[in-house]
Amino acid sequence: MSSKFYVTTPIYYVNGEPHIGHVYTTAVGDVLARYHRLKGDDTFFLTGTDEHATKVVDSAAENGVSPQEWADRNAKAFQDTFTRLGMSHDDFIRTTQDRHKDKVQDYFKQLLDCGDVYLGEYEGWYDAGQEEYIPENKAKEFGYKSPVNDQPLVRKAEKNYFFKLSAYGDSLLQLLGSGEVFDVRPTARKNEVVARIREGLNDVPISRTGSGDWGIKVPGDDEHTIYVWIDALINYLSTVDTPERRYYWPADVHLIGKEILWFHAVIWPAMLLALNKLPGNEWMKLPRLLYTHSQWISEGKKMSKTLGNFIDLAQIDHYVEVFGLDALRYFLTTNGPLGTTDSDFAEAKFIEVYNTDLANTLGNCFSRVSNMTGRYFDGRLPKPGPEPQTGIDQEHDRTAEHAVRDYHRAMQGLELSKAADAAMGLVRAVDGYIEATQPFQLAKQDGKLPEVGTVLYNCAEALRVASLLLWPFLPEKIEALWRRTGCGHYADALADRGKGELDQWLTWGQCKPGTEIMKGDPLFPRFQPAKV
Ligand code: ME8
């Protein structure tokens, strides 16, 4: 059954160029978006840039250009990078675009109207790198330093508009308790949020004064700029607040990193609850799921420019050049920090995953099957005939069905590593079947060629099923494989964000005997370390 699916990534700061963390969350979003398109869901995948941060002003000044020029330059770097890396987002929102700014002012006006905003004064700690107000108890816990970049917190005293977050504690606890309307995962992250809400919620500043001209003005009060986090969170809604796109709201999944959990799990839903109170805003429901991942570290240590272990754009391009785009996507999305533990981006691990899964399992299995088809059947897929006698399970359709079931379950639970493994498991089963039936031995025996045909047909079918499941992870190589095996129509249907018919395509027995199987170059040549 198809339905709609709306997935977002955080919008990224444009004080610098994208790095592996940005590419990671966007790649996870891309795999989910492709999976849903493959199923035939009406999918909307959003990413973009968060541009009104003070650090953008500072880095622009350091580089001798205006904030807008600096934002333009880096936003372009993000757009170019995501395009180069094959990301299939449906839109790229920049918070300096009028379409966003107008909506932010409009919603802000509505927040002023809803009775949950008042003018007050903030005195306390501010984390300038994260653009975050830090309550006294947390500041103390952090040793008055930013938990993200270790810089000292700064003391702030400013006039602000405040949002009555304190009024929403009970509603949020209730919502998170049931998890039916709005949920936070993994559960450990949800528990953290719940514990902190239970400590009590303070009202939060939603505007700033004295932050200069960079930002969106509070409607009717030019002295105040809308707090960058409020401006940024709104992107998820502003982008789809058009007659054609409202249908996508609420977002099905907001993907975020753990350091921005509080804004997304508490402030964002509370804002939506406030907006939702106004007549005409009934459609502004809460996002269904906030999925919080952990962090990439590099070669065993937190990534940092000074340690020189930062996986920056040049490093990313290097990996793509040496291993191919799909290899990078596959490694990131199947070995990344989707759960509650950090993941290490280490070259040795990358090579191991590449060689084991992509070269030795998938690539090699396809070569075996296409080689034998070439040798015994002139490169044309044979008709299935009698099964050779072996001791192993030969209910191929059932083996495939199990893999498909495990795959869907994992994808629905955002367990990308398990989903890919369900597909790779099917490929390994093909290898096992070849080992058990020994088609190269059978081919030497009189009258056994029809059995060899059966083996190769079943192998091709199982590989076809596995390839469909792997497409969201490895779109480039899988499409190449399809074009070599008479399945180019899948690639045609999915081109340019098109939809698939996965359930129908997965039905066993669709490979047509007689189809030409082109061996071609190895899909994933085994990596020889001397190359790096
Ligand atoms: O926080 N490992 O932008 P940002 C994994 N503009 N993911 C990482 C990562 C790492 N080491 N480093 C960054 C902001 N990320 C705000 C967001 S949303 C309304 C506003 C990813 O440029 C991860 O998704 O600092 C993280 O949440 C995001 O980049 C932060 O990007």
Side-chain angles (χ1 to χ4, degrees):
M1 203 183 60
S2 68
S3 45
K4 71 97 190 166
F5 182 74
Y6 177 23
V7 56
T8 68
T9 72
I11 49 171
Y12 307 112
Y13 287 133
V14 284
N15 54 311
E17 290 189 330
H19 59 67
I20 201 76
H22 305 130
V23 168
Y24 173 63
T25 315
T26 310
V28 171
D30 191 65
V31 168
L32 293 177
R34 285 177 189 267
Y35 165 69
H36 282 273
R37 291 194 199 107
L38 180 63
K39 286 202 322 153
D41 292 344
D42 194 349
T43 302
F44 195 79
F45 170 28
L46 179 66
T47 189
T49 42
D50 183 359
E51 308 194 1
H52 293 128
T54 311
K55 59 183 170 186
V56 175
V57 179
D58 295 344
S59 50
E62 278 163 28
N63 287 278
V65 297
S66 72
Q68 189 63 60
E69 266 176 274
W70 191 242
D72 287 347
R73 196 182 294 180
N74 286 312
K76 184 168 181 323
F78 274 91
Q79 278 168 308
D80 290 350
T81 302
F82 292 163
T83 303
R84 200 167 64 244
L85 298 181
M87 305 298 177
S88 65
H89 43 287
D90 294 275
D91 200 349
F92 188 99
I93 183 76
R94 297 184 54 190
T95 56
T96 50
Q97 288 167 335
D98 286 342
R99 60 169 174 154
H100 173 75
K101 291 198 286 192
D102 294 348
K103 291 286 177 201
V104 170
Q105 287 204 319
D106 187 19
Y107 302 150
F108 201 95
K109 220 182 287 159
Q110 296 182 35
L111 283 174
L112 292 172
D113 291 346
C114 80
D116 286 335
V117 174
Y118 60 92
L119 204 52
E121 203 152 325
Y122 178 83
E123 220 213 305
W125 298 102
Y126 194 71
D127 178 343
Q130 286 301 101
E131 302 276 2
E132 186 169 356
Y133 295 91
I134 310 282
E136 182 61 40
N137 63 336
K138 287 282 155 197
K140 197 167 166 195
E141 188 184 316
F142 301 152
Y144 302 96
K145 281 189 180 166
S146 163
V148 175
N149 64 9
D150 258 3
Q151 294 300 307
L153 300 178
V154 286
R155 198 73 198 163
K156 279 255 177 255
E158 58 181 9
K159 261 181 124 185
N160 312 89
Y161 285 93
F162 277 77
F163 173 59
K164 277 192 207 158
L165 184 63
S166 57
Y168 289 92
D170 289 344
S171 312
L172 289 170
L173 285 175
Q174 205 180 357
L175 283 159
L176 288 168
S178 98
E180 273 167 28
V181 176
F182 166 60
D183 207 3
V184 174
R185 287 216 306 262
T187 313
R189 297 287 175 233
K190 169 151 119 175
N191 294 343
E192 272 170 33
V193 170
V194 166
R196 214 176 131 187
I197 300 175
R198 288 216 178 101
E199 287 171 16
L201 293 178
N202 295 321
D203 293 347
V204 285
I206 56 170
S207 74
R208 301 194 56 193
T209 38
S211 60
D213 268 344
W214 189 238
I216 307 176
K217 294 289 173 207
V218 167
D221 189 347
D222 270 3
E223 255 181 61
H224 289 257
T225 305
I226 296 172
Y227 175 36
V228 65
W229 265 101
I230 301 302
D231 164 355
L233 287 165
I234 284 175
N235 90 87
Y236 304 128
L237 192 65
S238 67
T239 310
V240 295
D241 187 0
T242 65
E244 310 77 50
R245 286 180 175 177
R246 265 196 195 181
Y247 142 84
Y248 289 112
W249 191 261
D252 294 271
V253 187
H254 286 321
L255 292 168
I256 59 161
K258 64 183 175 187
E259 79 294 350
I260 56 178
L261 176 61
W262 186 250
F263 289 106
H264 284 83
V266 177
I267 298 178
W268 178 227
M271 272 168 68
L272 285 166
L273 289 174
L275 286 169
N276 186 269
K277 291 197 294 195
L278 294 172
N281 284 351
E282 294 77 13
W283 67 279
M284 293 190 190
K285 299 197 169 17
L286 299 192
R288 294 192 198 290
L289 177 66
L290 180 65
Y291 193 92
T292 310
H293 64 71
S294 302
Q295 298 249 301
W296 278 102
I297 55 171
S298 158
E299 304 292 345
K301 297 198 186 75
K302 190 178 161 103
M303 276 197 279
S304 97
K305 295 236 157 85
T306 37
L307 281 178
N309 64 345
F310 211 83
I311 311 282
D312 57 12
L313 215 44
Q315 284 272 338
I316 294 169
D317 286 338
H318 170 75
Y319 274 92
V320 171
E321 199 185 304
V322 177
F323 297 93
L325 177 54
D326 284 354
L328 178 74
R329 293 172 58 97
Y330 185 84
F331 178 72
L332 288 179
T333 55
T334 62
N335 282 264
L338 256 190
T340 47
T341 41
D342 293 344
S343 292
D344 192 13
F345 195 111
E347 187 180 300
K349 191 165 148 202
F350 190 106
I351 295 173
E352 189 195 315
V353 170
Y354 174 86
N355 278 339
T356 308
D357 287 4
L358 300 180
N360 296 353
T361 304
L362 181 61
N364 196 37
C365 187
F366 174 69
S367 304
R368 285 175 100 180
V369 174
S370 56
N371 275 339
M372 286 191 279
T373 310
R375 193 171 318 145
Y376 307 128
F377 297 96
D378 289 333
R380 304 242 160 222
L381 191 66
K383 262 212 264 310
E387 278 285 354
Q389 292 309 303
T390 65
I392 66 158
D393 176 8
Q394 296 210 17
E395 291 196 44
H396 310 291
D397 50 347
R398 220 195 42 203
T399 309
E401 236 170 64
H402 285 176
V404 169
R405 185 199 56 201
D406 292 350
Y407 171 84
H408 281 306
R409 193 177 292 160
M411 277 294 200
Q412 305 287 344
L414 274 79
E415 295 180 291
L416 299 192
S417 173
K418 266 197 193 164
D421 197 55
M424 286 296 176
L426 188 55
V427 178
R428 290 190 295 266
V430 171
D431 277 332
Y433 176 58
I434 295 174
E435 290 313 309
T437 53
Q438 302 273 313
F440 26 86
Q441 298 298 344
L442 283 177
K444 294 180 195 155
Q445 299 169 24
D446 274 351
K448 294 278 190 187
L449 208 56
E451 291 181 23
V452 177
T454 310
V455 172
L456 292 182
Y457 184 86
N458 287 330
C459 290
E461 245 324 85
L463 277 179
R464 185 185 67 81
V465 169
S467 73
L468 284 164
L469 306 183
L470 286 168
W471 176 78
F473 297 91
L474 304 165
E476 219 177 56
K477 294 291 175 151
I478 295 294
E479 286 173 26
L481 183 151
W482 287 340
R483 301 233 179 257
R484 292 186 204 175
T485 55
C487 293
H489 54 291
Y490 299 150
D492 295 339
L494 292 164
D496 210 9
R497 299 172 184 81
K499 285 189 208 172
E501 297 172 66
L502 186 61
D503 279 352
Q504 201 239 309
W505 292 348
L506 285 173
T507 321
W508 188 263
Q510 293 181 51
C511 277
K512 286 199 186 67
T515 305
E516 191 183 354
I517 304 294
M518 286 178 264
K519 188 171 169 293
D521 296 334
L523 284 175
F524 297 100
R526 209 186 139 70
F527 179 73
Q528 312 291 350
K531 263 210 224 160
V532 167

